[in-house]
């Protein structure tokens, strides 16, 4: 079965995480996405992350669990959970 969650670092050799996720979106349209980053400036570039969850390094296991929950809540629509009810 297709994966329910894609976890990707933002900066990688060759391609960025957002580029990889954009390529996978056609094949995995309902997969949740969680970007992991160690750079502070990246979160300001919201269009780059297309509404997907972001987890900052370093993180704890509890932080990872919360970020996965957030990513799964946004799954398939890219809309943060607090805004979904308003639609």
């Amino acid at each position: 079965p297709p994966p329910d969650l894609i976890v990707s670092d933002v900066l990688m050799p060759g391609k960025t995480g957002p580029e990889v996720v954009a390529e996978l979106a056609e094949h995995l349209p309902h997969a949740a996405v969680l970007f992991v980053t160690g750079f502070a400036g990246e979160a300001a570039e919201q269009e780059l992350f297309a509404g997907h969850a972001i987890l900052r390094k370093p993180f704890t296991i509890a932080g990872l669990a919360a970020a996965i929950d957030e990513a799964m809540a946004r799954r398939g629509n890219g809309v943060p959970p607090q805004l979904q009810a308003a639609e």
Side-chain angles (χ1 to χ4, degrees):
D4 292 326
L5 175 66
I6 299 167
V7 179
S8 176
D9 203 333
V10 173
L11 295 179
M12 302 181 294
K15 289 187 181 184
T16 67
E19 289 171 336
V20 170
V21 167
E23 290 177 9
L24 291 173
E26 179 181 334
H27 305 288
L28 301 169
H30 300 292
V33 175
L34 173 59
F35 289 115
V36 180
T37 184
F39 295 97
E42 294 168 354
E45 302 172 19
Q46 292 301 318
E47 68 281 354
L48 181 69
F49 300 112
H52 296 298
I54 303 167
L55 177 62
R56 300 233 174 251
K57 297 177 196 173
F59 53 85
T60 63
I61 295 298
L64 175 60
I68 290 171
D69 287 345
E70 178 185 354
M72 296 303 286
R74 294 179 181 212
R75 181 166 127 168
N77 62 14
V79 177
Q82 64 271 26
L83 297 180
Q84 289 180 17
E87 295 183 338

